[in-house]
Amino acid sequence: MPYILLQAGNDALAAIGGGNPAYILAWIGIFLMVSLSGIGSALGTGNAGSATIAAMKKRDDIFANCMILSALPGTQGLYGFGAFFILKEHITPEITMLTAAALFGAGLISGITNLLSAYFQSRVVANGIESIGNGNNVFSNTLILAVYPELYAIIAFAACFLISGAL
């Protein structure tokens, strides 16, 4: 049985990228980048949206400000998607292991950074939304503080751009 699975794996590897494991490694990095960024944005916008609904039970006139704050964690998913278009041009069936390792690393860095950035940004905006719901005028302050986690997602996006330029 293990031999059959091993043979099936070898056949699948031979069919993908001409049997070049570097090709698969590069695509795994891109997959991690896009998926982790999207997961982070989904979690973040979900957390912030839930906070908005809870705050609107107290005050129904705050939806516009809360909607803006709730949308902020969604940008990390866009950074991952944008980096996909920057990096995918380097993936060919003839890719070297060095280039594939760089793409895998770029994808991993971007994916994890975007995931954590979106999550922690959602915590900042959720607390701000809760405070707005309690009658405090903290929209601008929340917006400013929410930029800090965003900065690291921007740095990860810039790193992908620089890695692409170095390849």
Side-chain angles (χ1 to χ4, degrees):
M1 182 68 163
Y3 174 76
I4 294 171
L5 291 175
L6 186 61
Q7 185 60 41
N10 285 339
D11 292 345
L13 183 61
I16 301 171
N20 184 357
Y23 183 78
I24 295 171
L25 178 66
W27 277 116
I28 290 172
I30 298 298
F31 167 78
L32 288 172
M33 177 179 63
V34 175
S35 63
L36 292 175
S37 298
I39 290 169
S41 285
L43 289 172
T45 54
N47 286 340
S50 294
T52 295
I53 297 301
M56 288 183 60
K57 290 177 183 173
K58 298 175 186 172
R59 291 180 54 202
D60 61 356
D61 62 327
I62 59 173
F63 179 71
N65 285 344
C66 293
M67 181 183 68
I68 292 169
L69 293 174
S70 295
L72 291 177
T75 56
Q76 285 82 354
L78 297 175
Y79 296 143
F81 193 59
F84 163 77
F85 287 103
I86 292 171
L87 296 174
K88 76 173 178 82
E89 68 186 45
H90 299 288
I91 302 175
T92 64
E94 299 82 26
I95 190 170
T96 65
M97 187 54 84
L98 182 61
T99 300
L103 293 173
F104 179 81
L108 196 60
I109 289 168
S110 178
I112 291 173
T113 302
N114 287 333
L115 172 70
L116 294 175
S117 172
Y119 175 74
F120 286 107
Q121 188 176 51
S122 78
R123 292 180 63 180
V124 171
V125 297
N127 285 322
I129 289 168
E130 181 182 352
S131 185
I132 291 170
N134 289 328
N136 299 309
N137 184 15
V138 295
F139 173 73
S140 299
N141 294 341
T142 303
L143 202 58
I144 291 167
L145 292 174
V147 169
Y148 295 140
E150 180 95 18
L151 174 65
Y152 295 98
I154 293 170
I155 290 172
F157 182 74
C160 288
F161 187 77
L162 294 173
I163 289 169
S164 177
L167 295 176

